[in-house]
Amino acid sequence: MIDLDVELVRGTLVVGLVISALAYHFFRVNSGGVVTAPFLAILVLTGDWINIAGWAVLSIIGFATIRLLSNRWPLPRIWLFFAGVFIPMTIHIAGLLLIQIPPFETYSTFFAAGLYVTNGLTAYDAARQGLLRTFVSAAAVTALTTLAALGMYSLTSNFGITTEALPPFVTHDPLLAFVVVAAAIVARLAFGLGTAGIIGGAYLLQIAAPETLLVVLAFTLVGAFIYKRVATFMGLSPKQAFYSLLAVGAVAAWFGLYWASLLGIPGAAAVEQYALEPLLVVGLMIGETARFGVSRTLIGTTAVGLIAWSITSLVSASIISTWVAYIITFLLLVAGLTYAFREVKRGWAAAAAGSARWGA
């Protein structure tokens, strides 16, 4: 366990993203989500083993969920992905809620263990390439990332390099995470809208100010413009492009925000107050913008943010209770999925008609 500072944490993230990308490029193996290994490495550096164990357990639950659904129904991969994310996250949130009840407070360390979205990313990779292979890959990339981080820590310590104290990580209220993920799922499946990644909306909402949003938007538009041309020119596969995008986006945001803050550009200093979130959300926004277009991504991200802000504000103002907010969110999710499922049924009907036509 070591004392982390802002540059070490950001360096760990960038190195982890690069190693994850290289692992996929050379060995065609996914490490349980491109951001999983960097986060696990940070947990290792801080000695947070209980959350690592929680991640493993919830990942297995997500893997089992995807396998169960895929064996019963021919669902599109995006539906399986969201199921693998949503079910473990819901179980994690249920654990966080349980520890507020007196009989369960004693076991808070265990019930609160785990992560929100990373478990689902690992579960989806495991469903595609095997559980053991995914865990071994995640462990290997995490180990290499941790060693690199320890090397950076040793260098900065030996040469007396001092950096800023570690800014706060964005800690998500369980309700906010639940609403953002549910809204992002509906936006994607029902309306084909892009968002700031499945959890990026929570980052934007919690660090939001007009200046910071403009900074993120500027990085996103410039990055999307460059990304489209570079990815096409280099002939990258979608997976390679996504890995490269997050790594390059994180580096660009890291150095860009540093110099923008140093030069006193409005909004940059506020974004600089957070450790990892600006580096991740820029890459996620660039990816969504390149895939869905600027207008559909901005509409989707704004809609998710407004829904999350509205529901959490009602709770903060004591207009509705937290439990009512969860119920409202769940009903909105069910309604959105019911609407989106029409397209799935059309696909099933078309497949059945094709089979009947050709005698399959």
Side-chain angles (χ1 to χ4, degrees), residues 50-264:
I50 188 65
N51 272 325
I52 294 176
W55 158 80
V57 172
L58 291 173
S59 296
I60 293 173
I61 292 174
F63 168 76
T65 300
I66 294 173
R67 280 297 180 89
L68 176 64
L69 292 175
S70 61
N71 288 335
R72 290 184 64 87
W73 298 287
L75 292 170
R77 286 191 299 177
I78 188 65
W79 282 72
L80 295 174
F81 168 74
F82 282 133
V85 170
F86 186 76
I87 297 301
M89 183 200 70
T90 302
I91 293 173
H92 176 51
I93 290 175
L96 294 173
L97 296 176
L98 276 176
I99 63 176
Q100 300 176 18
I101 302 174
F104 297 97
E105 289 178 346
T106 307
Y107 307 99
S108 60
T109 302
F110 303 100
F111 281 114
L115 305 171
Y116 282 114
V117 172
T118 314
N119 326 291
L121 303 180
T122 304
Y124 185 69
D125 279 351
R128 298 186 67 185
Q129 65 182 15
L131 189 62
L132 179 61
R133 188 182 186 194
T134 300
F135 275 137
V136 169
S137 175
V141 175
T142 299
L144 291 174
T145 304
T146 303
L147 289 174
L150 290 174
M152 290 186 287
Y153 176 76
S154 177
L155 286 174
T156 56
S157 299
N158 291 336
F159 286 96
I161 300 174
T162 58
T163 62
E164 298 178 24
L166 183 65
F169 294 104
V170 171
T171 54
H172 299 309
D173 173 72
L175 175 61
L176 176 63
F178 188 80
V179 175
V180 166
V181 171
I185 290 173
V186 172
R188 174 67 178 87
L189 295 182
F191 304 104
L193 298 174
T195 60
I198 195 168
I199 196 66
Y203 293 151
L204 288 175
L205 197 63
Q206 290 189 285
I207 68 176
E211 296 86 356
T212 61
L213 293 178
L214 286 175
V215 170
V216 171
L217 178 61
F219 273 100
T220 298
L221 293 177
V222 173
F225 177 81
I226 297 173
Y227 165 75
K228 283 186 176 181
R229 282 148 184 79
V230 172
T232 302
F233 174 76
M234 297 185 66
L236 299 176
S237 69
K239 177 70 76 172
Q240 289 173 319
F242 181 67
Y243 274 100
S244 303
L245 171 65
L246 282 183
V248 174
V251 172
W254 185 9
F255 287 100
L257 288 175
Y258 173 79
W259 285 107
S261 178
L262 193 66
L263 295 173

Side-chain angles (χ1 to χ4, degrees), residues 35 37 93 103 130 144 155 158 191 235 239 293 295 304 309 315 337 346 356:
V35 300
I93 290 175
L144 291 174
L155 286 174
N158 291 336
F191 304 104
K239 177 70 76 172
S295 60
V304 170
W309 176 81
V315 174
L337 292 180
R346 289 194 191 101

Side-chain angles (χ1 to χ4, degrees), residues 7-23 31 34-35 37-39 41-42 45 140-152 243 246-248 250-251 254 276 279:
E7 302 304 336
L8 178 59
V9 168
R10 290 175 177 172
T12 301
L13 172 67
V14 171
V15 169
L17 292 174
V18 171
I19 295 176
S20 295
L22 292 175
S31 52
V34 64
V35 300
F39 275 116
I42 292 171
L45 292 171
V141 175
T142 299
L144 291 174
T145 304
T146 303
L147 289 174
L150 290 174
M152 290 186 287
Y243 274 100
L246 282 183
V248 174
V251 172
W254 185 9
L276 296 179
L279 275 64

